[in-house]
Amino acid sequence: MFTRSSKWNVKAIILIALIGIIMGVIYTYGFNWAYNLIKLLLLPTGFAPVTDTVFSGLWLMAAPLAMYFVPTVGSGTIGETLAAVVEMAIGGQWGAVTILSGVIQGATNEIGFFPQKSRYQAFSWQSVLTGAFFAGLGSFIPTYFLYGWSKYSIQLQVIMFITCILSALVFDGVLVKLITNLFDQALKPKIA
């Protein structure tokens, strides 16, 4: 029987480390190549920057997965940060700024669950989608300033903001919740 433990112990640390490693590899070798290809194809249209925001939700998934398996405060931030460290270490294209993004995205994802431990344990649709929304903001706001998106037209900025939030809700919210529902059905976890 699989147990979701809300206590920090060796098992929880190993589990979060594995989630971070696996997601960091998926980010680098799964999502980054598709992102680069689509952005390249959109260059002639002038909408290539929208690729950044359409894909953003995919890079937010480590936090809620970590919070599902280790339902306690800080697990999402640590899981997302570890994924960012792995992504950077194995050749992620954004370098060290990836770590800063990971910390911000993990912490903002926890807003949907914090401060009540019961929210982490319940892992409800409301908590997951609220966390995804704030993670979308935590993804958009720093990159807006870091990459100079203010230089784009207002129309493009609005499109980028909307697609960033939608991407976070779809990938970081709905997709992660559906994945964890499958874990619930297959493993029938208990919460310790």
Side-chain angles (χ1 to χ4, degrees):
M1 179 77 42
F2 175 72
T3 305
R4 292 174 58 215
S5 176
S6 59
K7 297 176 183 144
W8 284 108
N9 54 33
V10 173
K11 177 185 163 191
I13 293 167
I14 291 171
L15 194 52
I16 289 194
L18 286 173
I19 291 168
I21 291 167
I22 291 167
M23 291 307 294
V25 170
I26 291 171
Y27 291 168
T28 304
Y29 297 115
F31 302 152
N32 289 1
W33 74 268
Y35 160 84
N36 289 328
L37 177 64
I38 292 171
K39 190 161 187 173
L40 179 68
L41 293 172
L42 288 176
L43 277 174
T45 69
F47 284 98
V50 177
T51 309
D52 296 343
T53 55
V54 168
F55 271 74
S56 63
L58 292 168
W59 286 293
L60 304 173
M61 294 171 63
L65 288 172
M67 288 186 285
Y68 169 78
F69 285 105
V70 181
T72 192
V73 176
S75 59
T77 304
I78 294 169
E80 192 68 52
T81 302
L82 286 173
V85 168
V86 169
E87 181 182 3
M88 183 206 68
I90 62 175
Q93 62 204 39
W94 292 282
V97 91
T98 307
I99 298 171
L100 175 63
S101 296
V103 171
I104 293 169
Q105 293 162 2
T108 52
N109 218 314
E110 291 205 38
I111 292 172
F113 300 85
F114 189 79
Q116 298 174 355
K117 200 172 212 177
S118 61
R119 288 185 187 161
Y120 286 86
Q121 294 169 343
F123 205 78
S124 68
W125 277 101
Q126 180 181 354
S127 292
V128 172
L129 291 174
T130 302
F133 174 79
F134 282 104
L137 287 177
S139 172
F140 184 84
I141 293 169
T143 51
Y144 179 86
F145 294 103
L146 189 62
Y147 296 117
W149 291 353
S150 61
K151 304 269 191 273
Y152 297 142
S153 70
I154 296 295
Q155 177 190 8
L156 188 57
Q157 290 179 47
V158 169
I159 290 169
M160 290 174 73
F161 178 76
I162 291 169
T163 56
C164 183
I165 298 300
L166 288 175
S167 177
L169 291 171
V170 169
F171 295 117
D172 185 45
V174 174
L175 181 60
V176 167
K177 182 61 177 154
L178 292 175
I179 290 169
T180 59
N181 285 349
L182 292 175
F183 277 113
D184 283 342
Q185 291 172 5
L187 302 175
K188 300 189 185 347
K190 290 183 180 178
I191 298 177

